[in-house]
Amino acid sequence: MMSDTLDHAKRLQAMLDTGRPLRLAGLPVLVQKKGDRIALSAPEYTLRLDPEDFQKLYGSYEAVFVEEKQGIDAEKDEEYYAWRREKQ
């Protein structure tokens, strides 16, 4: 059983390493690798996690690639965080 979990985690990491956005099965969460961190975007929150923390929290979830138009828009994401930094 532990071997299955490790294999699943490796598959999920390989999917993230493509840089393409993913959707986690059963959750309204989009996931994409951004540099050395994993960005998660949900209706109520946005997170950036270390890969180890991401694997601990979400490593057991199935994931599928999403169309680019549904993924995290890198330009809008950066604009939003720039705006947030100015307002703080």
Coordinates of all heavy atoms in Angstrom, one line a residue:
M1 N 0.8 -1.2 0.0 CA 0.0 0.0 0.0 C 0.9 1.3 0.0 O 0.6 2.2 -0.7 CB -0.9 0.0 1.2 CG -2.0 1.0 1.2 SD -3.1 0.8 -0.2 CE -4.4 1.8 0.4
M2 N 1.9 1.3 0.8 CA 2.8 2.4 0.8 C 3.5 2.6 -0.5 O 3.7 3.8 -0.9 CB 3.9 2.2 1.9 CG 4.8 3.3 2.1 SD 4.0 4.8 2.6 CE 4.8 5.1 4.1
S3 N 3.8 1.6 -1.2 CA 4.4 1.7 -2.6 C 3.4 2.4 -3.5 O 3.8 3.2 -4.3 CB 4.7 0.3 -3.1 OG 5.1 0.4 -4.4
D4 N 2.1 2.1 -3.4 CA 1.1 2.7 -4.3 C 1.0 4.2 -4.0 O 0.9 5.0 -4.9 CB -0.3 2.1 -4.0 CG -0.4 0.7 -4.6 OD1 0.4 0.3 -5.4 OD2 -1.3 0.0 -4.1
T5 N 1.1 4.6 -2.7 CA 1.1 6.0 -2.3 C 2.3 6.7 -2.9 O 2.2 7.8 -3.4 CB 1.1 6.2 -0.8 OG1 -0.1 5.5 -0.3 CG2 1.0 7.6 -0.4
L6 N 3.5 6.1 -2.8 CA 4.7 6.7 -3.3 C 4.6 6.9 -4.9 O 5.0 7.9 -5.4 CB 5.9 5.9 -2.9 CG 6.3 6.0 -1.5 CD1 7.4 5.0 -1.2 CD2 6.7 7.4 -1.0
D7 N 4.1 5.8 -5.5 CA 4.0 5.9 -7.0 C 3.0 7.0 -7.4 O 3.3 7.7 -8.3 CB 3.5 4.6 -7.5 CG 4.6 3.5 -7.5 OD1 5.7 3.8 -7.3 OD2 4.2 2.3 -7.6
H8 N 1.9 7.1 -6.6 CA 1.0 8.2 -6.9 C 1.6 9.6 -6.7 O 1.4 10.5 -7.6 CB -0.3 8.1 -6.0 CG -1.3 9.1 -6.3 ND1 -2.1 9.1 -7.4 CD2 -1.7 10.2 -5.6 CE1 -2.9 10.1 -7.4 NE2 -2.6 10.8 -6.4
A9 N 2.4 9.8 -5.7 CA 3.0 11.0 -5.4 C 4.0 11.4 -6.5 O 4.1 12.5 -6.9 CB 3.7 11.0 -4.0
K10 N 4.7 10.4 -7.0 CA 5.7 10.6 -8.1 C 5.0 11.0 -9.4 O 5.4 11.9 -10.1 CB 6.5 9.3 -8.3 CG 7.5 9.1 -7.3 CD 8.3 7.8 -7.6 CE 9.3 7.5 -6.4 NZ 10.0 6.3 -6.7
R11 N 3.8 10.4 -9.7 CA 3.0 10.7 -10.9 C 2.5 12.2 -10.7 O 2.6 12.9 -11.7 CB 1.9 9.8 -11.0 CG 2.2 8.4 -11.7 CD 1.0 7.7 -12.2 NE 0.0 7.5 -11.1 CZ 0.0 6.5 -10.2 NH1 0.9 5.6 -10.3 NH2 -1.0 6.4 -9.3
L12 N 2.0 12.5 -9.6 CA 1.5 13.9 -9.4 C 2.7 14.9 -9.5 O 2.5 15.9 -10.2 CB 0.9 14.0 -8.0 CG 0.2 15.3 -7.6 CD1 -0.8 15.7 -8.7 CD2 -0.4 15.3 -6.2
Q13 N 3.8 14.6 -9.0 CA 5.0 15.5 -9.1 C 5.4 15.6 -10.6 O 5.7 16.7 -11.0 CB 6.2 15.0 -8.3 CG 7.3 16.0 -8.2 CD 6.9 17.3 -7.6 OE1 6.3 17.4 -6.6 NE2 7.3 18.4 -8.3
A14 N 5.4 14.5 -11.3 CA 5.7 14.6 -12.7 C 4.7 15.4 -13.5 O 5.1 16.2 -14.4 CB 5.8 13.2 -13.3
M15 N 3.5 15.4 -13.1 CA 2.5 16.2 -13.8 C 2.7 17.7 -13.5 O 2.7 18.5 -14.4 CB 1.1 15.8 -13.3 CG 0.6 14.5 -13.8 SD -1.0 14.0 -13.1 CE -2.1 15.0 -14.1
L16 N 3.1 18.0 -12.2 CA 3.4 19.4 -11.8 C 4.6 19.9 -12.6 O 4.7 21.0 -12.9 CB 3.6 19.5 -10.3 CG 2.3 19.4 -9.5 CD1 2.7 19.2 -8.0 CD2 1.5 20.6 -9.6
D17 N 5.6 19.0 -12.7 CA 6.8 19.4 -13.4 C 6.7 19.9 -14.8 O 7.5 20.5 -15.4 CB 7.9 18.3 -13.3 CG 8.4 18.1 -11.9 OD1 8.3 19.1 -11.1 OD2 9.0 17.1 -11.6
T18 N 5.5 19.5 -15.5 CA 5.3 20.0 -16.8 C 5.0 21.4 -16.9 O 5.1 22.1 -17.9 CB 4.1 19.2 -17.5 OG1 2.9 19.6 -16.8 CG2 4.3 17.7 -17.4
G19 N 4.6 22.0 -15.7 CA 4.2 23.4 -15.7 C 2.8 23.7 -16.1 O 2.3 24.9 -16.0
R20 N 2.1 22.7 -16.5 CA 0.7 22.9 -16.9 C -0.2 22.9 -15.7 O 0.1 22.2 -14.7 CB 0.2 21.8 -17.9 CG 1.0 21.8 -19.2 CD 0.6 20.7 -20.1 NE -0.8 20.6 -20.3 CZ -1.4 19.4 -20.7 NH1 -0.7 18.3 -21.0 NH2 -2.7 19.4 -20.9
P21 N -1.3 23.7 -15.7 CA -2.2 23.7 -14.6 C -3.0 22.4 -14.5 O -3.3 21.7 -15.4 CB -3.2 24.8 -14.9 CG -3.1 25.0 -16.4 CD -1.7 24.6 -16.8
L22 N -3.3 22.0 -13.2 CA -4.0 20.8 -12.9 C -5.2 21.1 -12.0 O -5.2 22.2 -11.4 CB -3.1 19.9 -12.0 CG -1.7 19.5 -12.5 CD1 -1.0 18.7 -11.4 CD2 -1.8 18.7 -13.8
R23 N -6.2 20.3 -12.1 CA -7.4 20.4 -11.2 C -7.3 19.1 -10.3 O -7.2 18.0 -10.8 CB -8.7 20.5 -12.0 CG -9.9 20.6 -11.1 CD -11.2 20.8 -11.8 NE -11.2 22.0 -12.6 CZ -11.4 23.2 -12.1 NH1 -11.6 23.4 -10.8 NH2 -11.4 24.3 -12.9
L24 N -7.5 19.3 -9.0 CA -7.6 18.2 -8.1 C -9.0 17.6 -8.1 O -10.0 18.4 -8.0 CB -7.2 18.6 -6.7 CG -5.7 19.1 -6.5 CD1 -5.5 19.5 -5.1 CD2 -4.7 18.0 -6.9
A25 N -9.1 16.3 -8.2 CA -10.4 15.6 -8.3 C -11.1 15.8 -6.9 O -10.5 15.7 -5.9 CB -10.2 14.2 -8.6
G26 N -12.4 16.2 -7.0 CA -13.2 16.4 -5.8 C -13.0 17.7 -5.1 O -13.7 17.9 -4.1
L27 N -12.1 18.5 -5.6 CA -11.9 19.8 -4.9 C -11.9 20.9 -6.0 O -11.5 20.7 -7.1 CB -10.5 19.9 -4.3 CG -10.3 19.0 -3.1 CD1 -8.8 19.1 -2.7 CD2 -11.2 19.3 -1.9
P28 N -12.5 22.1 -5.7 CA -12.5 23.2 -6.6 C -11.1 23.9 -6.6 O -11.1 25.1 -6.3 CB -13.6 24.1 -6.1 CG -13.6 23.9 -4.6 CD -13.2 22.4 -4.4
V29 N -10.0 23.2 -6.8 CA -8.7 23.8 -6.6 C -7.9 23.6 -7.9 O -7.8 22.5 -8.5 CB -8.0 23.1 -5.5 CG1 -6.5 23.6 -5.3 CG2 -8.7 23.2 -4.2
L30 N -7.3 24.7 -8.4 CA -6.4 24.6 -9.5 C -5.0 24.7 -8.9 O -4.7 25.4 -8.0 CB -6.6 25.8 -10.5 CG -7.9 25.8 -11.2 CD1 -8.0 27.1 -12.0 CD2 -8.0 24.6 -12.1
V31 N -4.1 23.9 -9.5 CA -2.7 23.8 -9.0 C -1.7 23.9 -10.1 O -1.9 23.4 -11.2 CB -2.5 22.3 -8.4 CG1 -1.1 22.2 -7.8 CG2 -3.5 22.1 -7.3
Q32 N -0.6 24.7 -9.9 CA 0.4 24.8 -10.9 C 1.7 25.1 -10.2 O 1.8 25.8 -9.2 CB 0.0 26.0 -11.8 CG 0.9 26.1 -13.1 CD 0.3 27.1 -14.1 OE1 -0.5 27.9 -13.7 NE2 0.8 27.0 -15.3
K33 N 2.8 24.5 -10.8 CA 4.1 24.8 -10.3 C 4.6 26.2 -10.7 O 4.5 26.5 -11.9 CB 5.1 23.7 -10.8 CG 6.4 23.8 -10.1 CD 7.3 22.6 -10.4 CE 8.6 22.6 -9.7 NZ 9.4 21.5 -10.0
K34 N 5.0 27.0 -9.7 CA 5.5 28.3 -10.0 C 6.9 28.4 -9.4 O 7.1 28.6 -8.2 CB 4.6 29.4 -9.4 CG 3.2 29.4 -9.9 CD 3.2 30.1 -11.2 CE 1.7 30.3 -11.6 NZ 1.6 31.0 -12.8
G35 N 7.9 28.3 -10.2 CA 9.3 28.3 -9.7 C 9.5 27.1 -8.8 O 9.3 25.9 -9.2
D36 N 9.9 27.3 -7.6 CA 10.2 26.2 -6.7 C 9.0 26.0 -5.7 O 9.1 25.2 -4.8 CB 11.5 26.4 -5.9 CG 11.4 27.7 -5.0 OD1 10.5 28.5 -5.2 OD2 12.3 27.8 -4.1
R37 N 7.9 26.6 -6.0 CA 6.7 26.4 -5.1 C 5.5 25.9 -5.9 O 5.5 26.0 -7.1 CB 6.4 27.8 -4.4 CG 7.6 28.2 -3.6 CD 7.4 29.3 -2.7 NE 6.3 29.0 -1.7 CZ 6.5 28.9 -0.4 NH1 7.7 29.1 0.1 NH2 5.5 28.8 0.4
I38 N 4.5 25.5 -5.2 CA 3.3 25.0 -5.8 C 2.2 26.0 -5.5 O 1.9 26.3 -4.3 CB 2.9 23.6 -5.3 CG1 4.0 22.6 -5.4 CG2 1.6 23.1 -6.1 CD1 4.5 22.3 -6.8
A39 N 1.6 26.6 -6.5 CA 0.5 27.6 -6.3 C -0.9 26.8 -6.4 O -1.1 26.1 -7.3 CB 0.5 28.6 -7.4
L40 N -1.7 27.1 -5.4 CA -3.1 26.5 -5.4 C -4.0 27.7 -5.4 O -3.9 28.7 -4.6 CB -3.3 25.7 -4.1 CG -2.5 24.4 -4.0 CD1 -1.2 24.6 -3.3 CD2 -3.3 23.4 -3.3
S41 N -5.0 27.6 -6.2 CA -6.0 28.6 -6.3 C -7.4 28.0 -6.2 O -7.8 27.1 -6.9 CB -5.9 29.3 -7.7 OG -6.9 30.4 -7.8
A42 N -8.2 28.5 -5.2 CA -9.5 28.0 -4.9 C -10.4 29.2 -4.8 O -9.9 30.4 -4.7 CB -9.5 27.2 -3.6
P43 N -11.7 29.0 -4.8 CA -12.6 30.2 -4.7 C -12.4 31.1 -3.5 O -12.6 32.3 -3.5 CB -14.0 29.6 -4.7 CG -13.9 28.3 -5.3 CD -12.5 27.8 -5.0
E44 N -12.0 30.5 -2.3 CA -11.9 31.3 -1.1 C -10.5 31.5 -0.6 O -10.3 32.2 0.3 CB -12.7 30.5 0.0 CG -14.1 30.3 -0.2 CD -14.9 31.7 -0.3 OE1 -14.6 32.6 0.5 OE2 -15.8 31.8 -1.1
Y45 N -9.5 31.0 -1.3 CA -8.1 31.1 -0.9 C -7.1 30.9 -2.0 O -7.5 30.3 -3.0 CB -7.8 30.2 0.3 CG -7.9 28.8 0.0 CD1 -6.8 28.1 -0.4 CD2 -9.1 28.1 0.2 CE1 -6.8 26.7 -0.7 CE2 -9.1 26.7 -0.1 CZ -8.0 26.0 -0.6 OH -8.1 24.7 -0.8
T46 N -5.9 31.4 -1.8 CA -4.8 31.1 -2.7 C -3.6 30.8 -1.7 O -3.4 31.4 -0.7 CB -4.4 32.4 -3.5 OG1 -5.6 32.7 -4.3 CG2 -3.3 32.1 -4.4
L47 N -2.9 29.7 -2.1 CA -1.8 29.3 -1.3 C -0.6 29.1 -2.2 O -0.7 28.8 -3.4 CB -2.0 27.9 -0.7 CG -3.1 27.8 0.4 CD1 -3.3 26.3 0.7 CD2 -2.8 28.6 1.6
R48 N 0.6 29.2 -1.6 CA 1.9 28.8 -2.3 C 2.6 27.9 -1.3 O 2.9 28.4 -0.2 CB 2.7 30.0 -2.7 CG 2.0 30.8 -3.8 CD 2.9 31.9 -4.3 NE 2.2 32.6 -5.3 CZ 2.5 32.7 -6.6 NH1 3.6 32.1 -7.0 NH2 1.8 33.4 -7.5
L49 N 2.8 26.7 -1.7 CA 3.4 25.7 -0.8 C 4.7 25.2 -1.3 O 4.9 25.1 -2.5 CB 2.4 24.5 -0.6 CG 1.1 24.8 0.0 CD1 0.2 23.6 0.0 CD2 1.2 25.3 1.5
D50 N 5.6 24.8 -0.4 CA 6.7 24.0 -0.8 C 6.3 22.7 -1.3 O 5.2 22.2 -0.8 CB 7.7 23.7 0.5 CG 8.3 25.0 1.0 OD1 8.7 25.8 0.1 OD2 8.4 25.2 2.2
P51 N 7.0 22.1 -2.2 CA 6.6 20.8 -2.8 C 6.3 19.7 -1.7 O 5.4 18.9 -1.8 CB 7.7 20.4 -3.7 CG 8.3 21.7 -4.1 CD 8.2 22.6 -2.9
E52 N 7.2 19.7 -0.7 CA 7.0 18.7 0.4 C 5.7 18.9 1.1 O 5.0 17.9 1.4 CB 8.2 18.8 1.4 CG 9.5 18.5 0.8 CD 10.1 19.7 0.1 OE1 9.8 20.8 0.4 OE2 11.0 19.4 -0.8
D53 N 5.3 20.1 1.5 CA 4.1 20.4 2.1 C 2.9 20.1 1.2 O 1.9 19.5 1.7 CB 4.0 21.9 2.6 CG 5.0 22.2 3.7 OD1 5.3 21.3 4.5 OD2 5.4 23.3 3.8
F54 N 3.0 20.4 -0.1 CA 1.9 20.1 -1.0 C 1.7 18.6 -1.0 O 0.6 18.1 -1.0 CB 2.3 20.6 -2.4 CG 1.3 20.1 -3.4 CD1 0.1 20.8 -3.6 CD2 1.6 19.0 -4.2 CE1 -0.9 20.3 -4.5 CE2 0.7 18.6 -5.2 CZ -0.6 19.2 -5.3
Q55 N 2.8 17.8 -1.1 CA 2.6 16.3 -1.1 C 2.0 15.8 0.1 O 1.2 14.9 0.1 CB 4.0 15.6 -1.3 CG 4.5 15.8 -2.7 CD 3.7 15.1 -3.8 OE1 2.9 14.2 -3.5 NE2 3.9 15.4 -5.0
K56 N 2.3 16.4 1.3 CA 1.7 15.9 2.6 C 0.2 16.2 2.6 O -0.6 15.4 3.0 CB 2.4 16.6 3.7 CG 3.8 16.1 4.0 CD 4.4 16.9 5.2 CE 5.8 16.6 5.3 NZ 6.5 17.5 6.3
L57 N -0.2 17.4 2.1 CA -1.6 17.8 2.1 C -2.4 17.3 1.0 O -3.6 17.0 1.2 CB -1.7 19.4 2.2 CG -1.1 20.0 3.4 CD1 -1.0 21.5 3.2 CD2 -1.9 19.7 4.6
Y58 N -1.9 17.2 -0.2 CA -2.7 16.9 -1.4 C -2.2 15.8 -2.2 O -2.7 15.4 -3.2 CB -2.8 18.2 -2.3 CG -3.4 19.3 -1.6 CD1 -2.7 20.4 -1.1 CD2 -4.8 19.5 -1.6 CE1 -3.3 21.5 -0.5 CE2 -5.4 20.5 -1.0 CZ -4.7 21.5 -0.4 OH -5.3 22.6 0.2
G59 N -1.1 15.1 -1.7 CA -0.5 14.1 -2.5 C -1.3 12.9 -2.8 O -1.1 12.1 -3.8
S60 N -2.4 12.6 -2.0 CA -3.3 11.5 -2.3 C -4.4 11.8 -3.3 O -5.1 10.9 -3.6 CB -3.9 11.0 -0.9 OG -4.7 12.0 -0.4
Y61 N -4.6 13.0 -3.7 CA -5.6 13.4 -4.6 C -5.3 13.0 -6.0 O -4.1 13.1 -6.4 CB -5.9 14.9 -4.5 CG -6.7 15.3 -3.3 CD1 -6.1 15.6 -2.1 CD2 -8.1 15.3 -3.3 CE1 -6.8 15.9 -1.0 CE2 -8.8 15.6 -2.2 CZ -8.1 16.0 -1.0 OH -8.8 16.3 0.1
E62 N -6.3 12.6 -6.8 CA -6.1 12.5 -8.2 C -6.1 13.8 -8.9 O -6.7 14.8 -8.4 CB -7.2 11.6 -8.8 CG -7.2 10.2 -8.4 CD -6.0 9.4 -8.9 OE1 -5.6 9.7 -10.0 OE2 -5.6 8.5 -8.2
A63 N -5.4 14.0 -10.0 CA -5.3 15.3 -10.7 C -5.4 15.1 -12.1 O -5.1 14.0 -12.7 CB -4.0 16.0 -10.3
V64 N -6.0 16.1 -12.8 CA -6.1 16.0 -14.3 C -5.6 17.4 -14.8 O -5.7 18.4 -14.2 CB -7.5 15.7 -14.8 CG1 -8.0 14.4 -14.4 CG2 -8.5 16.8 -14.2
F65 N -5.0 17.3 -16.0 CA -4.7 18.6 -16.7 C -5.9 19.3 -17.1 O -6.9 18.7 -17.5 CB -3.8 18.3 -17.9 CG -2.4 17.8 -17.6 CD1 -2.1 16.5 -17.9 CD2 -1.5 18.6 -17.0 CE1 -0.8 16.0 -17.6 CE2 -0.2 18.1 -16.7 CZ 0.1 16.8 -17.0
V66 N -5.9 20.6 -17.0 CA -7.0 21.5 -17.5 C -6.6 22.3 -18.7 O -5.4 22.5 -18.9 CB -7.5 22.4 -16.3 CG1 -8.1 21.6 -15.2 CG2 -6.4 23.3 -15.9
E67 N -7.5 22.7 -19.4 CA -7.3 23.6 -20.5 C -6.6 24.9 -20.0 O -6.9 25.4 -18.9 CB -8.6 24.0 -21.3 CG -9.3 22.8 -21.8 CD -8.5 22.1 -22.9 OE1 -7.9 22.8 -23.7 OE2 -8.5 20.8 -23.0
E68 N -5.8 25.5 -20.8 CA -5.1 26.7 -20.4 C -6.0 27.8 -20.0 O -5.7 28.5 -19.1 CB -4.1 27.2 -21.5 CG -2.8 26.5 -21.7 CD -1.9 26.6 -20.4 OE1 -1.9 27.7 -19.9 OE2 -1.4 25.6 -20.0
K69 N -7.1 27.9 -20.7 CA -8.1 29.0 -20.4 C -8.7 28.8 -19.0 O -9.1 29.8 -18.4 CB -9.2 29.1 -21.4 CG -10.0 27.9 -21.5 CD -11.1 28.1 -22.6 CE -11.9 26.8 -22.6 NZ -12.9 26.8 -23.6
Q70 N -8.6 27.6 -18.4 CA -9.1 27.4 -17.1 C -8.1 27.5 -16.0 O -8.4 27.5 -14.8 CB -9.8 26.0 -17.0 CG -11.0 25.8 -17.9 CD -11.5 24.4 -17.8 OE1 -10.8 23.5 -17.6 NE2 -12.8 24.3 -18.0
G71 N -6.8 27.5 -16.4 CA -5.7 27.5 -15.5 C -5.4 28.8 -14.8 O -6.2 29.8 -15.0
I72 N -4.4 28.8 -14.1 CA -3.9 30.1 -13.4 C -3.3 30.9 -14.4 O -2.3 30.5 -15.1 CB -3.0 29.7 -12.3 CG1 -3.7 28.8 -11.2 CG2 -2.4 31.0 -11.6 CD1 -2.8 28.2 -10.2
D73 N -3.8 32.1 -14.7 CA -3.2 33.1 -15.6 C -2.0 33.8 -15.0 O -2.2 34.5 -14.0 CB -4.3 34.1 -16.0 CG -3.8 35.1 -17.1 OD1 -2.6 35.4 -17.1 OD2 -4.6 35.4 -18.0
A74 N -0.8 33.4 -15.4 CA 0.4 33.9 -14.8 C 0.4 35.5 -14.7 O 0.8 36.1 -13.7 CB 1.6 33.4 -15.5
E75 N 0.0 36.1 -15.8 CA 0.0 37.6 -15.9 C -0.9 38.2 -14.9 O -0.6 39.1 -14.1 CB -0.3 38.0 -17.3 CG -0.2 39.5 -17.4 CD -0.4 40.0 -18.9 OE1 -0.1 39.2 -19.8 OE2 -0.9 41.1 -19.0
K76 N -2.2 37.7 -14.8 CA -3.2 38.2 -13.9 C -2.8 37.9 -12.5 O -3.0 38.7 -11.6 CB -4.5 37.6 -14.2 CG -5.1 38.2 -15.5 CD -6.5 37.7 -15.7 CE -7.1 38.4 -17.0 NZ -8.4 37.9 -17.2
D77 N -2.2 36.7 -12.3 CA -1.7 36.3 -10.9 C -0.7 37.3 -10.4 O -0.8 37.8 -9.3 CB -1.2 34.9 -11.0 CG -1.0 34.3 -9.6 OD1 -1.9 34.3 -8.8 OD2 0.1 33.7 -9.4
E78 N 0.3 37.6 -11.3 CA 1.3 38.6 -10.9 C 0.7 40.0 -10.7 O 1.1 40.7 -9.7 CB 2.4 38.6 -11.9 CG 3.6 39.5 -11.5 CD 4.2 39.1 -10.2 OE1 4.3 38.0 -9.9 OE2 4.5 40.1 -9.4
E79 N -0.2 40.4 -11.5 CA -0.8 41.7 -11.3 C -1.6 41.8 -10.0 O -1.5 42.8 -9.3 CB -1.9 42.0 -12.5 CG -1.2 42.3 -13.8 CD -2.3 42.4 -14.9 OE1 -3.5 42.4 -14.6 OE2 -1.9 42.5 -16.1
Y80 N -2.3 40.7 -9.7 CA -3.0 40.7 -8.4 C -2.1 40.8 -7.2 O -2.3 41.6 -6.3 CB -3.8 39.4 -8.3 CG -4.4 39.2 -6.9 CD1 -5.5 39.9 -6.5 CD2 -3.9 38.3 -6.0 CE1 -6.1 39.7 -5.3 CE2 -4.4 38.1 -4.8 CZ -5.5 38.8 -4.4 OH -6.1 38.7 -3.2
Y81 N -1.0 40.0 -7.2 CA -0.1 40.1 -6.1 C 0.7 41.4 -6.0 O 1.0 41.9 -4.9 CB 0.9 38.9 -6.1 CG 0.2 37.6 -5.6 CD1 -0.2 36.7 -6.5 CD2 -0.1 37.5 -4.3 CE1 -0.9 35.5 -6.1 CE2 -0.8 36.4 -3.8 CZ -1.2 35.4 -4.7 OH -1.9 34.3 -4.3
A82 N 0.9 42.0 -7.1 CA 1.6 43.4 -7.1 C 0.6 44.4 -6.5 O 1.0 45.2 -5.7 CB 1.9 43.8 -8.6
W83 N -0.7 44.3 -6.9 CA -1.7 45.1 -6.3 C -1.8 44.9 -4.8 O -1.9 45.9 -4.1 CB -3.0 44.9 -7.0 CG -4.2 45.6 -6.4 CD1 -4.6 46.9 -6.6 CD2 -5.1 45.1 -5.5 NE1 -5.7 47.2 -5.9 CE2 -6.0 46.1 -5.2 CE3 -5.3 43.8 -4.9 CZ2 -7.1 45.9 -4.3 CZ3 -6.4 43.7 -4.0 CH2 -7.2 44.7 -3.7
R84 N -1.8 43.7 -4.4 CA -1.9 43.4 -2.9 C -0.7 43.9 -2.2 O -0.9 44.4 -1.1 CB -2.0 41.8 -2.7 CG -3.4 41.3 -2.6 CD -3.4 39.9 -2.2 NE -3.2 39.7 -0.8 CZ -3.2 38.5 -0.2 NH1 -3.4 37.5 -0.9 NH2 -3.0 38.4 1.1
R85 N 0.5 43.8 -2.8 CA 1.7 44.3 -2.1 C 1.6 45.9 -1.9 O 1.9 46.4 -0.9 CB 2.9 44.0 -2.8 CG 3.4 42.5 -2.7 CD 4.7 42.3 -3.3 NE 4.8 42.4 -4.7 CZ 4.5 41.4 -5.6 NH1 4.2 40.2 -5.1 NH2 4.6 41.6 -6.9
E86 N 1.0 46.5 -2.9 CA 0.9 48.0 -2.8 C -0.1 48.4 -1.7 O 0.0 49.4 -1.1 CB 0.4 48.6 -4.2 CG 1.4 48.5 -5.2 CD 0.9 49.0 -6.6 OE1 -0.2 49.6 -6.6 OE2 1.5 48.8 -7.6
K87 N -1.2 47.6 -1.6 CA -2.2 47.9 -0.6 C -1.9 47.6 0.8 O -2.5 48.0 1.8 CB -3.5 47.2 -1.0 CG -4.1 47.5 -2.3 CD -4.5 49.0 -2.3 CE -5.0 49.3 -3.7 NZ -5.2 50.7 -3.9
Q88 N -0.8 46.8 1.0 CA -0.4 46.4 2.4 C 0.4 47.5 3.1 O 1.1 48.2 2.6 CB 0.2 45.1 2.4 CG -0.7 44.0 2.1 CD 0.0 42.6 2.1 OE1 1.2 42.5 2.1 NE2 -0.8 41.6 2.0

